[in-house]
Amino acid sequence: MLSILIVASIAVSVAIGYKTKFNTGLFAIVFAYLIGCFGLGMSASSVIKGWPISTMFVIFAVSLFYNFAMVNGTLEKTAGGLLYACRRFPGLLPFALYFAAALIAALGAGFFTVMAFMAPLALLICDEAKMDKLVGAVAVNCGALSGANFMTSGSGVIFRGLMDEGGLADVSFGYTGVIFAASVIFSLLFIAGFRYIPRGNRNIGQGMSFKKPEPFTRKQKQNLYLMVAMIAVVLIFPILHILLPNSEMITFINSRMDVGLVAIVFSVIALFMDLAPQKQVIEKVPWNTIIMICGVGMLINVAIEAGTINLLASWAGSSLPVWLIPVIFSVIGAVMSFFSSTLGVVCPALFPLVPALADTTGISPLILFTCIVIGAQSSAISPFSSGGSLVLGSCADEEERNVLFPRLLFVAVPMSVLSATVFNAVLSVILGMIA
């Protein structure tokens, strides 16, 4: 009975948050307190300890560092340069939009930040290039999503943090790398379908004038070099550890490497280099996302204490055919993400199920994690979710918004979810053979 109440409280938190536009994490904290203290008999301090401090710190630290590039215009100018490089191949504009969004997101801007400045740019380019705006919206949405899945970027950091919380710290880096690669492959296939199947997209880019972006300023160049250096530092030792597992020095350094702490070091360097005002950089930290993820994390911790997670895992493992479980989780993630945030709600709710479910069914955790993410992100273009709402908010007027809304809802979302389901079914077979 208590497990049913906890599952219902998660659903109610999401529903109230969607209806009121208040932070879902706050409602999750309330339910965690009421159910944990008065339903399970947990102490208040035990409920508070469910706040995932390490996850919060990593999100804060990484976003803080990359906010320097956002404030001083480095990220925006990088995107403009990538689009200008596509001037000789205008028919590849959807892929240029994708790679621009993906690279900026992979450099650390994160999904929301990239969509905020790439979505308006994409819709303007669609007008000039005679390109279907749905194609442009899908391209930047897929780019921002898959780029942010990179191991050192916003979503990738959150995935790793949730895996670490679940006792999979030794493999979280590699698992996140596979998720990133899978999301890139899926995105490119999906965009190719939107680009080449409809007849109306055959004249993309004809008559478009490409403007050469202004050169990078001295500070922007320094910021770009600093971002590359930070990514290199974070990636080099895990890679060396895989290549040279017997090296004691590399093993020692790799065990002490933490993306959050490294990001703080580079943030301090950026401050001394005066790359952007400290106040503006701190103001852009995604506190809303942090509260949402950590608040839901507290409720999930209560669910773990109540045995809800193991109960759900046992039910799925015993009631569903093993081969169907990854696909079911893909669809569940897509349905949840249709109305809510992949990072704030879906992954914190479903990732804790994976270790127990993997033990029960024998399915590799990698398969389940990947299917959850690809499935959840497939419906992020929904007008009711983060990606679609940011696209609609970028429309020039109400008329354009009214035209794009039903196309996002009844064309982009069904095609994306269906494609992701098929992709995950094939991917689970391939990964199952490798694992």
Side-chain angles (χ1 to χ4, degrees):
M1 182 65 184
L2 197 58
S3 293
I4 296 175
L5 180 61
I6 292 174
V7 173
S9 67
I10 296 175
V12 171
S13 297
V14 173
I16 297 176
Y18 169 71
K19 185 68 176 178
T20 62
K21 304 303 179 185
F22 298 149
N23 195 302
T24 299
L26 297 175
F27 300 111
I29 293 172
V30 172
F31 282 118
Y33 170 52
L34 295 177
I35 296 174
C37 289
F38 302 102
L40 285 175
M42 297 171 62
S43 65
S45 61
S46 296
V47 174
I48 294 172
K49 287 179 181 177
W51 181 276
I53 296 176
S54 59
T55 300
M56 174 186 176
F57 175 75
V58 170
I59 298 172
F60 160 75
V62 172
S63 64
L64 182 72
F65 171 67
Y66 288 112
N67 283 344
F68 284 91
M70 175 56 60
V71 171
N72 63 31
T74 301
L75 294 178
E76 186 174 0
K77 195 166 288 185
T78 302
L82 288 171
L83 293 175
Y84 180 72
C86 190
R87 64 192 181 279
R88 295 182 181 177
F89 308 97
L92 297 180
L93 265 176
F95 297 99
L97 285 171
Y98 168 79
F99 282 113
L103 180 60
I104 303 305
L107 287 174
F111 172 73
F112 300 100
T113 302
V114 173
M115 288 297 292
F117 75 82
M118 282 296 293
L121 177 63
L123 295 182
L124 289 173
I125 289 175
C126 287
D127 280 330
E128 190 171 350
K130 299 178 182 178
M131 183 167 68
D132 185 355
K133 290 183 179 178
L134 191 62
V135 179
V138 167
V140 295
N141 181 74
C142 287
L145 285 170
S146 57
N149 290 345
F150 191 62
M151 293 81 79
T152 60
S153 191
S155 301
V157 165
I158 292 171
F159 298 155
R160 290 175 61 190
L162 292 172
M163 291 177 197
D164 291 349
E165 294 281 342
L168 296 170
D170 292 341
V171 293
S172 62
F173 182 87
Y175 279 9
T176 307
V178 174
I179 291 174
F180 167 69
S183 64
V184 170
I185 295 171
F186 169 73
S187 296
L188 291 174
L189 292 173
F190 187 60
I191 294 170
F194 264 91
R195 164 65 180 88
Y196 294 109
I197 294 176
R199 294 183 178 181
N201 292 327
R202 294 180 179 177
N203 296 321
I204 287 178
Q206 292 186 7
M208 181 179 180
S209 59
F210 290 83
K211 296 181 180 178
K212 186 176 181 179
E214 294 292 325
F216 285 101
T217 64
R218 177 173 167 273
K219 284 188 177 181
Q220 289 170 342
K221 288 181 179 179
Q222 292 175 339
N223 206 152
L224 199 59
Y225 297 149
L226 201 62
M227 286 191 294
V228 173
M230 189 255 189
I231 292 175
V233 169
V234 172
L235 292 181
I236 188 64
F237 290 103
I239 293 173
L240 287 176
H241 182 61
I242 294 173
L243 297 176
L244 302 170
N246 297 323
S247 173
E248 293 184 5
M249 183 182 71
I250 292 175
T251 301
F252 174 79
I253 297 175
N254 183 61
S255 66
R256 267 65 177 178
M257 292 298 295
D258 180 86
V259 64
L261 293 173
V262 172
I264 292 295
V265 171
F266 276 85
S267 296
V268 171
I269 295 173
L271 284 173
F272 277 109
M273 295 174 68
D274 193 26
L275 297 183
Q278 173 184 278
K279 183 178 180 181
Q280 294 181 36
V281 171
I282 294 178
E283 284 176 349
K284 288 186 175 294
V285 171
W287 298 112
N288 191 61
T289 300
I290 289 174
I291 293 171
M292 185 161 51
I293 290 172
C294 295
V296 173
M298 287 182 67
L299 185 53
I300 294 299
N301 185 67
V302 171
I304 293 173
E305 290 290 330
T308 305
I309 301 300
N310 289 330
L311 183 64
L312 290 173
S314 298
W315 173 83
S318 60
S319 303
L320 297 173
V322 173
W323 65 268
L324 191 59
I325 291 175
V327 177
I328 293 298
F329 267 76
S330 173
V331 175
I332 291 173
V335 172
M336 291 178 66
S337 182
F338 185 84
F339 294 105
S340 60
S341 166
T342 297
L343 299 180
V345 176
V346 181
C347 289
L350 296 183
F351 269 34
L353 292 171
V354 171
L357 188 60
D359 290 337
T360 303
T361 63
I363 300 174
S364 169
L366 174 60
I367 295 174
L368 296 172
F369 284 133
T370 306
C371 288
I372 289 171
V373 173
I374 300 296
Q377 293 186 345
S378 69
S379 60
I381 195 68
S382 160
F384 304 115
S385 192
S386 49
S389 61
L390 287 169
V391 170
L392 291 176
S394 303
C395 292
D397 50 49
E398 193 65 28
E399 181 180 355
E400 181 181 336
R401 193 172 294 111
N402 291 335
V403 171
L404 197 54
F405 179 91
R407 299 194 67 210
L408 289 174
L409 186 60
F410 299 116
V411 178
V413 172
M415 289 183 64
S416 182
V417 172
L418 179 60
S419 301
T421 304
V422 174
F423 180 83
N424 279 334
V426 175
L427 183 67
S428 62
V429 174
I430 296 173
L431 292 178
M433 294 171 62
I434 297 174

